[in-house]
Amino acid sequence: MSFLIIERGKKLGKRISIKEFPATVGRDAENTIQIDDDEISRYHLRIKKRGRIYVVEDLQSKNGTFINGDKVLNSIVKNGDKILIGTTELLFVAATSGIEVVSNLEDFNMILANDLGLEGPIHIKKGQRKSFAPTRISPQTRINLGKVSFKDLKNIYEVQGNVFVVNDLEECTKTFLKYLGKIIDNAARAAFFVWNDTTKQLVPTATNQYIKGETPFNLSQRSFEDVISRKQGLMLQSDSAFVTQSGTNRVILPVVHNDSLLGVLHIESKHPAKPFLKHEISMMQSIVQRCAPGFESLLLRKDIDGWLVGIVETLIATIEAKDTYTRGHSERVSKYSMAIADELKLNRETKKSLLVSSLCHDIGKIGIPDSILKKAGILSADEYEEIKLHPSIGAEIMASLPNAQKIMSGVKHHHEKWDGTGYPDALAGEEIPFFGRIVAIADVFDAMVSGRSYSGFLDQSEAVERLSAETDLFDPEIFKAFVRAYENGSLSQKTSTKNNNPSEDLEKEETKLHRRTGNKAS
């Protein structure tokens, strides 16, 4: 059922159900919905439904109808939109809100109940009913830090301090729940959800059981929709006449920063007959408020990382569309580079930059003519000089990406050799940037095992053996890490340039095909 919530004006917070369409709204008692406001016309607006679309039509009102600040005559209204008529502001909540709690709840031991919470009673025993009374939590009830006890203040800043030092969103939310449970004595378990405003999804990122037991989280779809639409918390308190674990009291709080919804905190009490105290709810709100900027920073970083990955994938798809023979090469080189990075014990941030650098190492080939890039035979001297330009071209392409200097070396210098015989700058030894030295080994190795080099289609052991005979071309320490990765199985993967189908028969057929069609320069 769709409904309106009075956000501003008389009867603040009242929830008005829209039981049928079209529905008229106005001051007159004959309207479907009567609003007590002298600034509203007798028949002010009409709300119509067309399939899943809702439309607001102004009925030539005296003061006009506004949706999210814009004056409208006939306009689509969406879930969460605010309708201003006279001095009354209404929040529109659609029956099909579009809010989705993602489907992998079983992984987090969660149950989603549509009829729990705002819709009222649920069955407990035959002939008996148990109700959950929703109470909205005002944002103003959070603790005034200027009047809080030293212990509470210490707890709030301890949670904030521990959350801010974590650079991974999932780990950050786990840390947040861990310390929250130490402060809220009545908490049985808690869950943190991240809100994606684009997809309208709530995605669980962390849970914590503060008491022993495997009782699942009992989530309320209606309550989530209400909290997200209003950006205001809810407390669902069960009828203490029936004490069951499924009737545990719960608090649902929005995580909001600069009026942007970031996520939702769901926390359940230990005992149905013992709801959360006002002080505990105030502590929850204060902790959420203090930690919200940290969550926003991590979400923004995740968005940027996702955007960067999208750019990288587009670039790789572009070069592979141009040179289909090398399809999968960039991904395999990145996997080999990551295996080497693990042996070198590189930190997470360095590995992230190396991943992008290795994925994009051949992007400069987009600037090489097809007649050279797709040539099946041996390249002439002039053609070889042309193809040697691709690292420099790649570096120019990558120069405008965020943190380009961190990822540039694997692109520009993956053809440099330890003895100084490589290109484009003929660097030697440790003059070669670090990522260039790693990607160089991964690139040559994949050229050998995927049939891209003149040596033919080799198995991994033979490729490692041949590379070991040419160690003067590679950084000795990085090459040792590469060999360790091979020995512990980290390099083991299907390496066909056509696909990674696990079928051994298909792989053999592809090997024959490569040998028939001739070998290719890397």
Side-chain angles (χ1 to χ4, degrees):
M1 183 181 296
S2 301
F3 55 89
L4 299 170
I5 301 171
I6 299 178
E7 293 274 273
R8 191 169 74 220
K10 296 178 182 179
K11 298 185 179 180
L12 180 67
K14 182 180 179 181
R15 175 185 169 121
I16 306 168
S17 298
I18 308 175
K19 297 179 180 179
E20 58 182 25
F21 293 92
T24 58
V25 180
R27 199 176 69 247
D28 197 283
E30 292 186 2
N31 285 284
T32 310
I33 299 170
Q34 183 184 16
I35 302 291
D36 184 13
D37 184 342
D38 293 338
E39 299 298 318
I40 293 176
S41 298
R42 290 180 61 239
Y43 296 91
H44 198 103
L45 64 85
R46 181 184 292 117
I47 303 176
K48 300 177 289 186
K49 185 179 180 183
R50 297 173 180 170
R52 295 186 178 182
I53 297 174
Y54 299 87
V55 177
V56 166
E57 177 188 2
D58 183 81
L59 300 177
Q60 297 182 348
S61 63
K62 178 181 177 181
N63 295 321
T65 299
F66 298 81
I67 296 180
N68 300 326
D70 295 326
K71 189 173 183 179
V72 300
L73 295 177
N74 198 313
S75 176
I76 292 174
V77 62
K78 298 178 182 177
N79 185 71
D81 282 348
K82 294 186 178 182
I83 305 171
L84 178 65
I85 50 176
T87 61
T88 302
E89 186 174 65
L90 304 166
L91 177 73
F92 178 74
V93 179
T96 51
S97 65
I99 295 172
E100 177 189 359
V101 183
V102 295
S103 58
N104 63 331
L105 297 181
E106 297 83 0
D107 297 340
F108 292 86
N109 198 22
M110 295 175 174
I111 298 173
L112 189 65
N114 288 325
D115 59 350
L116 176 66
L118 294 181
E119 293 301 302
I122 58 173
H123 289 283
I124 296 299
K125 295 180 181 179
K126 187 176 181 179
Q128 296 178 333
R129 295 172 74 83
K130 184 186 192 68
S131 63
F132 282 81
T135 303
R136 291 189 176 84
I137 303 169
S138 171
Q140 281 71 42
T141 60
R142 61 176 177 264
I143 287 177
N144 183 341
L145 297 184
K147 299 180 180 179
V148 73
S149 70
F150 175 77
K151 180 182 177 182
D152 287 340
L153 191 63
K154 179 176 178 292
N155 286 333
I156 291 171
Y157 280 101
E158 181 182 12
V159 177
Q160 181 185 8
N162 283 285
V163 165
F164 272 29
V165 298
V166 182
N167 291 323
D168 178 76
L169 180 62
E170 285 71 24
E171 287 302 317
C172 180
T173 53
K174 287 179 183 178
T175 301
F176 174 79
L177 295 184
K178 173 184 174 182
Y179 283 92
L180 186 68
K182 293 180 179 180
I183 297 170
I184 310 300
D185 293 333
N186 192 25
R189 52 189 170 270
F192 195 99
F193 298 79
V194 167
W195 172 245
N196 187 318
D197 193 54
T198 302
T199 62
K200 303 299 179 186
Q201 285 186 327
L202 271 179
V203 182
T205 58
T207 60
N208 201 320
Q209 295 272 359
Y210 305 126
I211 58 174
K212 292 182 179 179
E214 294 299 324
T215 305
F217 288 85
N218 212 348
L219 308 178
S220 168
Q221 174 80 26
R222 297 295 187 190
S223 299
F224 277 138
E225 291 175 356
D226 191 83
V227 168
I228 290 169
S229 298
R230 298 170 61 93
K231 297 179 186 176
Q232 185 176 348
L234 271 179
M235 178 172 68
L236 299 180
Q237 185 174 342
S238 62
D239 185 347
S240 60
F242 305 103
V243 179
T244 65
Q245 188 64 40
S246 63
T248 302
N249 297 291
R250 64 213 66 200
V251 167
I252 306 167
L253 292 176
V255 182
V256 179
H257 185 59
N258 291 334
D259 203 39
S260 294
L261 182 69
L262 308 175
V264 172
L265 171 66
H266 172 100
I267 186 165
E268 299 181 13
S269 67
K270 292 179 181 177
H271 307 291
K274 185 181 178 184
F276 289 108
L277 301 175
K278 182 178 179 180
H279 177 77
E280 291 179 311
I281 295 174
S282 298
M283 281 291 290
M284 293 179 204
Q285 286 185 288
S286 298
I287 292 168
V288 166
Q289 182 205 19
R290 299 295 298 182
C291 294
F295 294 136
E296 183 181 51
S297 296
L298 291 175
L299 283 167
L300 288 172
R301 180 183 297 181
K302 190 172 184 179
D303 286 345
I304 291 172
D305 287 348
W307 183 56
L308 180 59
V309 168
I311 292 174
V312 169
E313 288 178 346
T314 301
L315 291 171
I316 293 169
T318 301
I319 184 61
E320 289 188 346
K322 183 180 175 69
D323 183 11
T324 55
Y325 197 94
T326 63
R327 184 166 295 161
H329 169 65
S330 297
E331 183 180 350
R332 294 192 299 272
V333 169
S334 71
K335 289 180 179 179
Y336 297 142
S337 297
M338 289 297 99
I340 295 171
D342 286 337
E343 293 300 324
L344 294 173
K345 310 296 184 188
L346 301 184
N347 63 46
R348 188 173 181 274
E349 288 301 313
T350 303
K351 286 170 69 176
K352 243 164 72 172
S353 298
L354 175 60
L355 176 62
V356 177
S357 189
S358 56
L359 278 170
C360 296
H361 75 283
D362 266 349
I363 194 62
K365 286 186 176 179
I366 198 171
I368 303 301
D370 287 354
S371 58
I372 297 175
L373 195 61
K374 296 181 179 182
K375 186 175 181 178
I378 298 175
L379 300 176
S380 68
D382 289 341
E383 290 170 335
Y384 183 61
E385 289 301 316
E386 183 82 16
I387 207 165
K388 283 168 62 176
L389 296 175
H390 81 268
S392 298
I393 295 172
E396 290 180 10
I397 293 173
M398 301 295 290
S400 59
L401 285 180
N403 298 316
Q405 290 307 120
K406 290 184 178 180
I407 61 178
M408 194 75 77
S409 63
V411 178
K412 187 174 183 179
H413 299 292
H414 66 278
H415 280 293
E416 303 284 2
K417 304 299 181 186
W418 190 254
D419 62 0
T421 60
Y423 61 89
D425 297 330
L427 301 178
E430 294 188 357
E431 291 178 345
I432 306 170
F434 184 55
F435 284 1
R437 288 179 259 159
I438 293 176
V439 179
I441 298 174
D443 183 47
V444 172
F445 178 69
D446 184 66
M448 299 174 77
V449 299
S450 65
R452 293 178 59 241
S453 67
Y454 287 105
S455 57
F457 204 115
L458 307 179
D459 61 37
Q460 290 192 344
S461 59
E462 188 176 358
V464 172
E465 184 179 342
R466 292 197 183 186
L467 290 176
S468 298
E470 300 180 358
T471 51
D472 57 325
L473 302 179
F474 310 110
D475 181 317
E477 294 305 314
I478 294 178
F479 190 79
K480 289 177 184 177
F482 163 75
V483 173
R484 290 197 301 272
Y486 163 72
E487 290 175 345
N488 64 29
S490 299
L491 303 182
S492 296
Q493 55 179 305
K494 298 300 181 184
T495 58
S496 164
T497 56
K498 184 142 185 162
N499 59 35
N500 291 328
N501 191 305
S503 168
E504 290 184 2
D505 292 336
L506 179 58
E507 187 178 359
K508 289 177 182 178
E509 289 302 314
E510 290 177 348
T511 303
K512 293 176 183 177
L513 175 63
H514 281 296
R515 286 173 177 167
R516 285 199 305 269
T517 55
N519 300 319
K520 185 174 176 62
S522 64

